[in-house]
Amino acid sequence: MSTRPHPVAGEDYPRTYQQFLEWFADEPACRRYLARCRWADGFECAQCGGKAEPWTTGRGYLHCRQCGSQVSVTAGTIFERTRMPLRTWFAAIWFVTSQKDGASALGLKRVLGLGSYQTAWTWLHKLRHAMVRPGRDQLCGRIEVDETYVGGSDLGGKRGRGSERKKIVVIAVEVHSPKGFGRVRMRRIPDVSGDSLVPFVCNVVEKGSEILTDGWSGYNKLSKCGYRHERVVFSDTGDPAHVSMPGVHRIAALLKRWLLSTHQGSVSGKHLDYYLDEYTFRFNRRTSRSRGMLFYRLIEQAVMTAPLPYRQIVQRKHNI
Ligand SMILES: [Zn+2]
């Protein structure tokens, strides 16, 4: 399974909303599109490995010409066993990706006329789950890493008193020279110890990269883990306005603003991971010229992402 490096507007994904309506007029059209995204290099039967073009049964299953087994294009994806039409799912994905800041559950419920808030909420979580590309690339080059606190009051200062009720999020961002940012990764962590911080870096950053942190001891082991670790320690004047990691600081500010505006700050700690996934997806594709491209990427990832039952969503503790 491969992802297309340069999908083309009007060929791989709809250029406009009008085109979106024309392309996905019925269920078979949606299924064909999913099949094309799922088997970008051509169909391959999961049972026998046969690569002959399958035929489609009256009920929309793909029938392998070689072994006769039948598969649903949604099996093993986030759409598995959905009782709603794929057209409604596609509309949800278009709605979520075509808006710069995404959608709230209430907004999605209204625009799609979904019966319940819970359905809209569950769908958004499934889509956020699909926003984390399986086997995604690691960050590389020059990377700032720092923690930020989300929720609660902003009093108390960094790693200081008053931060107990806030959620700790560690952020890594590629910094470009002389200015600008590349991609980000972020994760909620239980505390700021090395046991929480270092595995995050090892997970999301390529070995050999240069990691910039402040003087916090939690980062001490990075150089032993194959990174070039540079501590950026400013004078100890205690100036509260001083920002040692401007990239992370900027992204943290954008993240908090997004949580407050699109979601009215109503994100509970337990589900924060999902919102971090969505924010990461949006941030890393902020330069995409077409919103249709985001639609394409999300569909592409949704068919590569294993189903996520409601039960699992409400129990989720950690991403990755
Ligand atoms: Zn087969």
Side-chain angles (χ1 to χ4, degrees):
M1 203 176 297
S2 65
T3 65
R4 262 168 238 248
H6 304 295
V8 178
E11 282 179 31
D12 295 308
Y13 57 85
R15 196 188 294 272
T16 60
Y17 182 59
Q18 188 54 40
Q19 204 165 43
F20 169 84
L21 293 175
E22 288 161 12
W23 281 27
F24 307 116
D26 53 27
E27 291 299 287
C30 295
R31 279 198 296 265
R32 281 196 299 276
Y33 190 75
L34 287 186
R36 175 185 154 173
C37 291
R38 185 167 181 179
W39 293 289
D41 301 326
F43 177 80
E44 186 173 340
C45 172
Q47 294 295 322
C48 72
K51 291 188 173 163
E53 192 58 31
W55 51 271
T56 308
T57 70
R59 297 184 61 203
Y61 289 95
L62 298 173
H63 182 104
C64 174
R65 288 175 197 271
Q66 196 165 302
C67 71
S69 65
Q70 291 188 352
V71 63
S72 159
V73 70
T74 59
T77 76
I78 65 158
F79 309 111
E80 185 173 287
R81 298 214 177 98
T82 181
R83 278 180 242 113
M84 296 291 271
L86 286 174
R87 284 185 73 200
T88 312
W89 272 104
F90 277 43
I93 294 174
W94 185 268
F95 182 65
V96 164
T97 53
S98 62
Q99 303 195 91
K100 186 170 163 286
D101 290 324
S104 66
L106 195 58
L108 187 68
K109 174 181 181 289
R110 280 189 192 135
V111 78
L112 295 184
L114 294 173
S116 76
Y117 178 85
Q118 191 194 324
T119 304
W121 185 90
T122 308
W123 279 31
L124 283 176
H125 274 53
K126 287 184 184 214
L127 293 177
R128 287 182 185 120
H129 179 62
M131 287 176 186
V132 184
R133 186 157 62 89
R136 60 189 173 171
D137 304 328
Q138 291 182 303
L139 306 185
C140 59
R142 201 172 149 81
I143 291 135
E144 279 184 17
V145 179
D146 203 356
E147 323 94 62
T148 189
Y149 294 83
V150 174
S153 89
D154 265 335
L155 302 170
K158 192 165 181 202
R159 297 175 190 123
R161 285 183 304 128
S163 59
E164 291 82 7
R165 283 165 55 209
K166 299 181 196 173
K167 304 296 171 231
I168 311 165
V169 174
V170 56
I171 297 176
V173 56
E174 292 171 334
V175 286
H176 293 160
S177 178
K179 61 175 193 163
F181 309 127
R183 299 164 297 169
V184 304
R185 297 281 185 259
M186 47 184 80
R187 182 185 295 174
R188 184 164 62 99
I189 50 174
D191 54 51
V192 295
S193 69
D195 287 346
S196 296
L197 295 167
V198 174
F200 164 74
V201 174
C202 292
N203 190 240
V204 304
V205 182
E206 236 174 72
K207 302 282 178 201
S209 301
E210 184 182 0
I211 311 275
L212 305 166
T213 71
D214 61 15
W216 178 244
S217 61
Y219 296 108
N220 282 355
K221 286 194 179 142
L222 283 176
S223 50
K224 288 201 185 100
C225 296
Y227 299 103
R228 285 179 294 139
H229 181 200
E230 190 187 324
R231 283 195 180 81
V232 183
V233 183
F234 288 98
S235 66
D236 49 3
T237 54
D239 175 5
H242 115 101
V243 173
S244 55
M245 295 293 134
V248 169
H249 184 77
R250 171 109 183 97
I251 285 149
L254 291 169
L255 168 71
K256 289 174 200 179
R257 194 185 306 163
W258 178 73
L259 288 170
L260 283 174
S261 59
T262 305
H263 305 288
Q264 283 93 46
S266 63
V267 176
S268 76
K270 194 164 119 184
H271 298 118
L272 180 61
D273 300 319
Y274 287 99
Y275 295 89
L276 299 181
D277 291 346
E278 176 174 356
Y279 192 77
T280 301
F281 177 86
R282 291 184 183 285
F283 186 88
N284 290 344
R285 287 161 189 77
R286 67 198 180 282
T287 55
S288 287
R289 267 165 298 166
S290 159
R291 308 313 292 178
M293 171 79 106
L294 269 73
F295 170 83
Y296 176 84
R297 289 296 183 209
L298 188 48
I299 292 257
E300 185 183 57
Q301 291 175 206
V303 294
M304 287 189 233
T305 305
L308 180 70
Y310 176 73
R311 190 175 72 249
Q312 212 170 310
I313 296 175
V314 292
Q315 287 169 355
R316 179 178 181 178
K317 294 198 173 66
H318 249 289
N319 59 345
I320 305 179

